[in-house]
Amino acid sequence: MTNFINLNNCQSHVGLCLLLNVTSKSLNRALDDRSYHTFSIRKSNGGKRRIENPNENLSKIQRRLAVHFNNAYARHLPDCVHGYIPKAIAKSRRDIFSNALAHQQAEYMYNVDIKDFFHSINKKKIKSSLLYLFPGISMDVLKSIIKLVTYTGRLPMGAPSSPSLSNLCSVNLDNQLSDLANSYGITYTRYVDDFTFSSSSEPINSEIQTEIENVIEKNDFVLNQKKKKLFGKEDEKVITGIIVQKDKLDIVDDLHSEIIENIKNLASLKSTYQHMKMLNHQMTDLNKSKYGQLKASVKGQLKFAERVLGSSSSKFLELNSFFDQTMGKSNYINLTLYI
């Protein structure tokens, strides 16, 4: 029976349970208890990003909904989108790296950023997008799904269903911006909330900029005016922390310095925990969490650097060597601490 149910013909609570392979009790609990753990993390610019993590049961259901959202998105997937694209639905890998590569031959570039991208996607936008993709869905099921994927009336930053839904709710926007770019013979890509337009021949003048901004605003998104960037022919061109050059890609100096600093801080934390262990002291849950977050951040930054620079590049090898040498000084801590 589940083989024949999809979101487009899902007509009941029971049908939604079958589609998501969950019990009625579990689905009801998720609908009744939509609690989130909220906290803030530091952004690279010094500001803070609010994260909203759903409870375990709700998160499980959101992950299963995301599979169906992505399957539907695959039928409408624009060439311009590079963020939050699972390998299963794209012919080639799409990520922050492919987004930058699309503009490698650019002489001129215009970059804009959406303010509070996830939080700009409200219930109304989600409802219209889901009805467009799943016109056969019942209103009761639609209301339940909207309850399951929203927090205080909009997409939560931290829910596993939010990335796929952000793409679904941007289909019209991406198509309109792609059409506009094509009409001027320029290249357009979007990586999450970062929009890049480039040209290999003509500057992206104020008229084109205004048209771009009008399309974005007509789709009920707000531009972050502080993050608008226009690059001329002689300017160093940067997209999402990646320096785009004709013959190669590179990481910005600020990121390189941040990786070095984070590695030092991580090694310092490990040394501290080593002494605590020797003195028979236990780490608090807060300290364990702080260490885990920093460790994950460093690993992610090194993987990003490897992807951009290449595993055999001297710059990446130096970073990797610095990590090994710095962490090696307290490496045996991994043998004595369960962290």
Side-chain angles (χ1 to χ4, degrees), residues 60-208:
K60 176 186 73 175
I61 289 174
Q62 289 174 340
R63 282 195 301 272
R64 296 184 182 185
L65 279 169
V67 173
H68 294 280
F69 295 153
N70 280 323
N71 288 340
Y73 186 60
R75 299 192 295 271
H76 302 268
L77 178 59
D79 293 336
C80 59
V81 181
H82 292 262
Y84 301 139
I85 306 297
K87 293 178 183 178
I89 71 169
K91 293 179 180 178
S92 58
R93 183 172 180 176
R94 298 204 198 178
D95 55 15
I96 197 169
F97 181 76
S98 64
N99 183 67
L101 276 179
H103 303 277
Q104 196 166 17
Q105 301 305 313
E107 296 284 0
Y108 307 93
M109 189 180 297
Y110 180 55
N111 188 275
V112 296
D113 187 276
I114 298 298
K115 187 176 181 181
D116 298 325
F117 181 57
F118 275 24
H119 293 175
S120 298
I121 300 174
N122 56 27
K123 287 183 176 181
K124 181 181 178 181
K125 188 181 289 288
I126 295 169
K127 181 180 179 180
S128 62
S129 296
L130 291 180
L131 279 174
Y132 171 74
L133 291 164
F134 310 110
I137 195 171
S138 79
M139 292 306 298
D140 286 341
V141 171
L142 180 61
K143 288 178 182 177
S144 292
I145 290 174
I146 292 173
K147 285 180 69 175
L148 290 167
V149 300
T150 56
Y151 178 63
T152 64
R154 39 65 174 172
L155 284 189
M157 173 73 79
S161 50
S162 291
S164 54
L165 268 176
S166 71
N167 278 336
L168 281 179
C169 292
S170 302
V171 169
N172 287 336
L173 171 64
D174 288 323
N175 287 337
Q176 290 170 27
L177 288 175
S178 292
D179 289 343
L180 176 62
N182 289 337
S183 71
Y184 284 105
I186 62 180
T187 299
Y188 160 63
T189 66
R190 177 174 66 83
Y191 183 79
V192 191
D193 60 352
D194 192 278
F195 298 65
T196 303
F197 303 82
S198 70
S199 169
S200 59
S201 56
E202 298 293 330
I204 299 174
N205 59 40
S206 58
E207 178 185 342
I208 301 174

Side-chain angles (χ1 to χ4, degrees), residues 254-323:
D254 286 350
L255 177 58
H256 186 273
S257 300
E258 184 179 327
I259 295 173
I260 295 293
E261 190 64 26
N262 282 343
I263 292 172
K264 290 178 180 177
N265 290 336
L266 187 63
S268 176
L269 282 174
K270 291 190 77 172
S271 295
T272 299
Y273 299 155
Q274 172 186 331
H275 291 303
M276 290 173 64
K277 184 69 176 181
M278 290 171 64
L279 294 171
N280 252 354
H281 294 313
Q282 297 295 319
M283 285 189 298
T284 65
D285 288 341
L286 180 62
N287 283 335
K288 286 182 179 179
S289 175
K290 182 179 179 181
Y291 176 86
Q293 288 177 11
L294 184 56
K295 187 176 182 180
S297 177
V298 169
K299 285 186 174 181
Q301 288 177 326
L302 286 173
K303 285 183 178 178
F304 174 76
E306 181 180 19
R307 177 83 169 119
V308 174
L309 300 170
S311 58
S312 61
S313 72
S314 59
K315 198 169 186 177
F316 171 71
L317 291 174
E318 287 172 6
L319 280 172
N320 208 39
S321 177
F322 180 76
F323 175 83

